[in-house]
Amino acid sequence: MTTISHVRGCAPATMVTFGTELGAKNGDFVKHVDQMGRDVAGTMKNWKGAAATAASARALGERMSATNIDEVAVGLVSLFDKYGKQLDGTRTSLLDVVDKEAAGAGMKVTDDGSVTAPTYPDNGGFVGRVLQARLDQQAKDFQTKIKDLLKKFGEDEQQAAGMLKQGAGFLKVLKKAPTTPLVSPDGRYKIGAPERPDLKHDDTFVYNSKESGFSDWLAKAKWKGQLFGGEMFRSDLDDATALYRHYWDNDGKPIAFDYSEAYREDKNIKGAVDKEISQAAAAADLFARAGNKNFQITGKPTTVGVDSPGPDTENWTKTVGNYQQWSNANVRVEGNRVYMDVSVNAQDYYNFDNGKADIATGAPDSANGRFAEIGWAKPFESHGNVTRTVSWELGHPPTSPDSAGTSEPERNPGREDRTDNRDSGEGKRYPDNNRDTGGARPK
């Protein structure tokens, strides 16, 4: 969590200064390379043979490398300038509120942004209580403003660090290899057809490994009753109940869930998808600037819930929990514009883990894992994807989908909730999640 002392200790204005200095040094570097090219060209007039050809080829390779380095360096200068000004503006706004507005009103501000109002002297009388309430409300308003600014500073700082780190990685790649890079500096993306990663099956309750007893029949009645009640009265858990129902189908067949719906309903899933898109775009831009015009890229997976925050809503926590995400894309370059048709794919293995419990209710996973052990319910793989079209000016990949010409995932009425994110688009029916899987449940 970003604190006031952390922000106070930062000097983001120096990022702008550093970016300016980097731009000047890069300009000198380009001038030296251009002069080298002219010197070699002049020498070639009177130098013939194999050695001359090798020298000419080496000079051309160096100039190609220099051109790519120049483009990345210019992009880094732009990032230092953008985030330096952005972070400095947020820092100034935050400290103005803390040191001037809140302090001037006699408020006490803690390092995490919590604000406490002073105690009005005449707190026992009616007037005192009214004035104290006004002070408390003022403290609450200051706290909201401060915490919003702290959150913004932290998010921008994290985004800046990621983008600058990736840019520095690109420079390392180009320094080592002036030819076309086929793998991104972080090793996550490469040119090629989609490669679906393996999905780990971590069964801690081995299917059909134990005998059932009378208590299991009672437990089954209880959990089936809760499932039916959830389907009838908890429309906000429609996706979770659909996959739990499939667990009881006991056939272990893979099933698709609506990842586009998850993107709309769950802010952390949206954040994970947006992050994947921006990282894929940065890699695609690198490959495009290296001369590729029409190509595919595929990425390695990350774990949502480990590498980024897990689902925020009860529905999607129960539906997928921590899950695997990866992307693949078709990329084309038209003039100075890059277009990327990207698919962000989610994969999960639906099962219950010994020693864990449901976040919302506290019910132990062992209660439902038991049904797999005795062969009454079976774990299964689930999957979904979000497809987007993203475009940007070559050399300036988007830091977020909001900063690019980006399509929105299309709604699929009848398989998604209503536009207000609740209930099925086809009335009172149990959702299938996907037209190719499941089926309408009895009414």
Side-chain angles (χ1 to χ4, degrees), residues 309-332:
D312 176 64
T313 59
E314 183 181 0
N315 180 41
W316 290 104
T317 298
K318 282 178 161 65
T319 302
V320 289
N322 292 357
Y323 62 94
Q324 188 167 270
Q325 178 180 270
W326 65 286
S327 68
N328 62 281
N330 295 322
V331 185
R332 68 185 187 281

Side-chain angles (χ1 to χ4, degrees), residues 46 57 71 84 95 251 332 339 390:
N46 301 309
E71 290 181 354
L95 296 183
D251 58 19
R332 68 185 187 281
Y339 296 88
V390 188

Side-chain angles (χ1 to χ4, degrees), residues 75-76 79 82-83 156-170 278-279 281-282 396-400:
L76 281 171
L79 287 173
K82 171 188 173 182
Y83 284 112
D156 288 347
E157 187 178 40
Q158 185 177 23
Q159 192 174 67
M163 294 301 296
L164 291 170
K165 181 180 179 181
Q166 196 164 46
F170 291 167
S278 64
Q279 291 179 341
H396 301 279
T399 56
S400 70

